[in-house]
Amino acid sequence: MIKCVILDDELLAISYLKLLCEQIDNVEVVKAFNDPKVFLNEINELDCNICILDIEMPGMTGLQVAELIPDSKKIIFTTAYKEYAAEAFDLNVVDYVRKPIKKERLIQAFEKAKDLLQNSQKKSLIEWNTNIGKTIIFTEQIAYIKTSEIDSRDKDIILNDGTTIVLKNLNFKNLLEMLPSKDFAQVNKKEIIALSSIKAFSTNEIITTITTEGEAFLKLQIGETYKNSLMEMFGR
């Protein structure tokens, strides 16, 4: 099932795209946006796998938006201008569809997306040695990783549903090499965060979407060594 979100600054373009999507089998429009900033604030919390982005928008282009979207969500660009094609494909997007968009052309883009999603799902499976034996984990289900308080050689993986799994005898360097680099970042010597779990951030602190026992959101302190790389990932 293709679950897509639409971002376009023109309301008529959004309405037309939604109409086309409704005519295509196994495609659902989860939500539509006409503001890139609102889109970026909500995209990580939406259950979707395809983002249809207009390139030409005031304030922030679709190309800039695409750089901030996790790899797990595939991108289809739409635009009335052909000169962006090379730059769009440099971002490894699914497809580049010229306006005015035709239903048959959109179906082709969705077919490409479907193939890529199936392949990326296979790649996002990692088998680890854990406290419950050999365990296969979908990386997109990982919210947060921290050094175990019981044994510093082990790492606690917290999944999106709150489940904790202990990785046995694995250091952060090797762990980061196994994870999709665009989707995870080391925050300090003891913690790694999934970018999809970040609610807000400053130069010193990250506020996550993960709730603690007191129902407050988990906050992570950014280590000096990691500040520059984190700010680059956030486009700062």
Side-chain angles (χ1 to χ4, degrees), residues 142-172:
I142 299 173
Y144 168 57
I145 303 171
K146 64 177 180 177
T147 298
S148 172
E149 295 178 3
I150 298 173
D151 187 336
S152 61
R153 294 173 298 179
D154 298 339
K155 306 295 177 285
D156 292 342
I157 282 188
I158 292 82
L159 303 182
N160 292 329
D161 64 359
T163 301
T164 298
I165 298 174
V166 182
L167 300 183
K168 305 301 291 183
N169 196 21
L170 186 64
N171 62 45
F172 272 168

Side-chain angles (χ1 to χ4, degrees), residues 15-30:
S15 298
Y16 177 65
L17 253 178
K18 287 175 71 175
L19 182 64
L20 287 184
C21 289
E22 288 169 359
Q23 298 173 19
I24 301 172
D25 292 338
N26 299 315
V27 173
E28 174 189 349
V29 176
V30 176

Side-chain angles (χ1 to χ4, degrees), residues 59-230:
M60 193 174 195
T61 70
L63 296 167
Q64 293 171 316
V65 171
E67 292 179 347
L68 302 175
I69 296 174
D71 286 335
S72 58
K73 301 182 191 300
K74 303 304 177 185
I75 297 166
I76 296 173
F77 278 128
T78 64
T79 182
Y81 305 94
K82 64 181 180 181
E83 60 265 28
Y84 292 109
E87 193 173 353
F89 280 109
D90 281 344
L91 291 169
N92 196 29
V93 300
V94 172
D95 211 342
Y96 177 96
V97 182
R98 292 280 305 278
K99 294 181 178 179
I101 300 169
K102 296 181 180 179
K103 179 182 173 181
E104 293 73 19
R105 182 64 183 86
L106 190 59
I107 290 174
Q108 289 179 6
F110 281 139
E111 287 299 320
K112 289 183 183 180
K114 185 178 178 181
D115 291 340
L116 281 174
L117 285 168
Q118 289 173 343
N119 290 331
S120 65
Q121 186 179 51
K122 293 176 185 176
K123 295 176 182 177
S124 68
L125 291 171
I126 300 179
E127 183 178 67
W128 275 301
N129 183 29
T130 75
N131 59 315
I132 54 176
K134 290 288 185 181
T135 306
I136 294 174
I137 301 174
F138 284 89
T139 57
E140 65 183 20
Q141 294 300 314
I142 299 173
Y144 168 57
I145 303 171
K146 64 177 180 177
T147 298
S148 172
E149 295 178 3
I150 298 173
D151 187 336
S152 61
R153 294 173 298 179
D154 298 339
K155 306 295 177 285
D156 292 342
I157 282 188
I158 292 82
L159 303 182
N160 292 329
D161 64 359
T163 301
T164 298
I165 298 174
V166 182
L167 300 183
K168 305 301 291 183
N169 196 21
L170 186 64
N171 62 45
F172 272 168
K173 181 179 182 297
N174 291 336
L175 179 53
L176 284 167
E177 288 174 354
M178 300 169 76
L179 295 168
S181 59
K182 191 180 176 183
D183 296 341
F184 293 87
Q186 187 164 356
V187 179
N188 52 53
K189 290 181 178 180
K190 295 185 176 182
E191 295 171 306
I192 292 173
I193 189 69
L195 300 193
S196 59
S197 297
I198 295 175
K199 188 180 184 68
F201 67 90
S202 67
T203 55
N204 300 309
E205 184 180 71
I206 288 174
I207 302 173
T208 74
T209 57
I210 303 163
T211 54
T212 61
E213 290 181 2
E215 295 300 315
F217 291 109
L218 176 68
K219 296 181 181 180
L220 308 178
Q221 296 303 308
I222 301 175
E224 285 293 332
T225 308
Y226 306 94
K227 282 185 179 180
N228 289 339
S229 60
L230 277 169

